[in-house]
Amino acid sequence: MLLSALSLLISFFGFIGAAALVFSPVFWAFGIAAQVGSFTPKSIQQTLLAVPAGIALGAVTASSLTGVSLLRDLLLRAFSRSRDSDLLAKLEELRSSRASLTAAFEIERQRIERDLHDGAQQELVAVVMRLGMLEAAAADHERTVQLARQAQAHAERALERLRETVRDIHPRELSDLGLIAAVRELAARSPLRVELTSNGDDSQLSSPTATAVYFTVSEALTNIAKHAGVGTAQINMKCAKTGVKVRVSDDGAGGARIDAGSGLAGLRERMRSVGGDLEILSPAGGGTEVTASAPSQPPW
């Protein structure tokens, strides 16, 4: 600010003074004595001598402005570099924090899946088996058999819901068979008639990347079933060593938008957490196309 004010003062007084000296003969012709500082021409000769002095003053003013401007630019660049360093440090901290959160989520997801599979699910399986043994042993007591059958039915429903919960946390097909097989199984379970085309090798995909893509496809199919008003969908998936790209499309009502707080916004954040992105093309009445892409390994 100080250097800018100094530039303004130099420009105002320097160039005005130089112009007054250069045009002194013109002013003298109209009977005006152009005073510059303490100098006031008293004859036509002095006005003529003032012309080169004005030119020199203009050159000195321009040189001074150039020097002040260079100094100001150097200071601005120094401050900008300092701010850029701070921004880069904050960006690196944010990237590290996001990587830590993603890794922690993956570890916690595996722990929950393992506890559910090896703990509660195994206990429910044992309950179902023992209730079946109880029914066989109490064949002569109608009331006992009826209660045993009801308890067994409740336990089987609880077991099925538990398996669905485990699948929603992380489908076993994704861990055992890979992304393509998991998406194929997802398409088979969907109430829609899904046309799936896939190519490439998904063995190079990291677990966080495969999980993010899987749940993006799952949510996209759910949205089509709920909002598109059609019974078919198309999935095109390409896997490579460098990354994966999947496109889920339909010919429905369209008009889908990625707004803050919406499910699509959450999917985009999920994809960005592994270094990918989510794009949506959904003109009103023209169907919806959701495209997710991500590198095979998250950039952290």
Side-chain angles (χ1 to χ4, degrees):
M1 291 176 63
L2 290 175
L3 290 175
S4 297
L6 180 60
S7 299
L8 182 62
L9 289 175
I10 292 175
S11 300
F12 183 77
F13 291 107
F15 286 125
I16 288 181
L21 291 174
V22 170
F23 291 100
S24 288
V26 178
F27 294 147
W28 182 268
F30 287 95
I32 301 173
Q35 181 178 356
V36 179
S38 59
F39 171 74
T40 302
K42 294 182 173 52
S43 65
I44 185 62
Q45 291 79 8
Q46 291 183 350
T47 61
L48 293 175
L49 292 174
V51 173
I55 295 174
L57 179 60
V60 171
T61 301
S63 300
S64 301
L65 282 176
T66 301
V68 173
S69 298
L70 288 174
L71 179 59
R72 183 188 61 186
D73 290 343
L74 288 174
L75 291 175
L76 285 175
R77 290 178 182 177
F79 284 122
S80 297
R81 281 197 295 269
S82 176
R83 289 198 300 269
D84 290 344
S85 299
D86 293 340
L87 289 175
L88 288 174
K90 291 180 180 179
L91 179 61
E92 185 61 31
E93 181 181 354
L94 178 61
R95 184 181 290 112
S96 176
S97 176
R98 186 175 69 176
S100 299
L101 286 174
T102 304
F105 171 79
E106 183 68 13
I107 293 172
E108 184 65 13
R109 190 271 306 164
Q110 292 176 356
R111 184 192 67 79
I112 294 173
E113 180 185 4
R114 184 173 58 253
D115 291 346
L116 287 174
H117 183 270
D118 298 338
Q121 184 169 299
Q122 296 300 324
E123 293 295 333
L124 279 174
V125 170
V127 169
V128 172
M129 292 177 62
R130 281 167 173 76
L131 286 173
M133 295 170 63
L134 176 62
E135 179 185 0
D140 295 335
H141 303 83
E142 183 177 348
R143 179 59 177 169
T144 304
V145 172
Q146 182 180 7
L147 293 175
R149 286 176 178 173
Q150 291 176 354
Q152 185 177 12
H154 284 297
E156 288 175 348
R157 285 197 295 270
L159 182 60
E160 181 61 28
R161 290 184 179 180
L162 182 59
R163 286 170 176 164
E164 291 177 356
T165 302
V166 172
R167 185 185 295 117
D168 290 338
I169 294 174
H170 190 80
R172 181 158 296 276
E173 297 87 354
L174 192 57
S175 300
D176 296 343
L177 303 176
L179 177 62
I180 295 178
V183 171
R184 186 177 293 112
E185 199 273 340
L186 180 66
R189 292 201 321 265
S190 175
L192 302 168
R193 184 168 59 85
V194 180
E195 300 174 6
L196 172 62
T197 58
S198 60
N199 57 66
D201 181 13
D202 59 4
S203 61
Q204 301 295 325
L205 300 179
S206 66
S207 178
T209 298
T211 302
V213 173
Y214 175 86
F215 282 108
T216 298
V217 174
S218 176
E219 183 66 20
L221 290 178
T222 300
N223 288 339
I224 294 174
K226 288 182 178 179
H227 308 296
V230 294
T232 61
Q234 298 80 39
I235 301 176
N236 181 273
M237 183 163 51
K238 297 180 180 180
C239 300
K241 292 182 178 180
T242 56
V244 57
K245 184 175 183 179
V246 59
R247 183 172 64 250
V248 183
S249 57
D250 65 77
D251 299 324
R257 297 176 57 187
I258 301 181
D259 296 323
S262 68
L264 289 173
L267 290 178
R268 181 170 60 183
E269 291 306 313
R270 179 190 284 270
M271 293 304 304
R272 287 179 175 178
S273 70
V274 294
D277 201 3
L278 182 78
E279 298 178 355
I280 180 169
L281 179 63
S282 184
T288 300
E289 182 178 285
V290 177
T291 304
S293 59
S296 57
Q297 300 293 328
W300 33 262

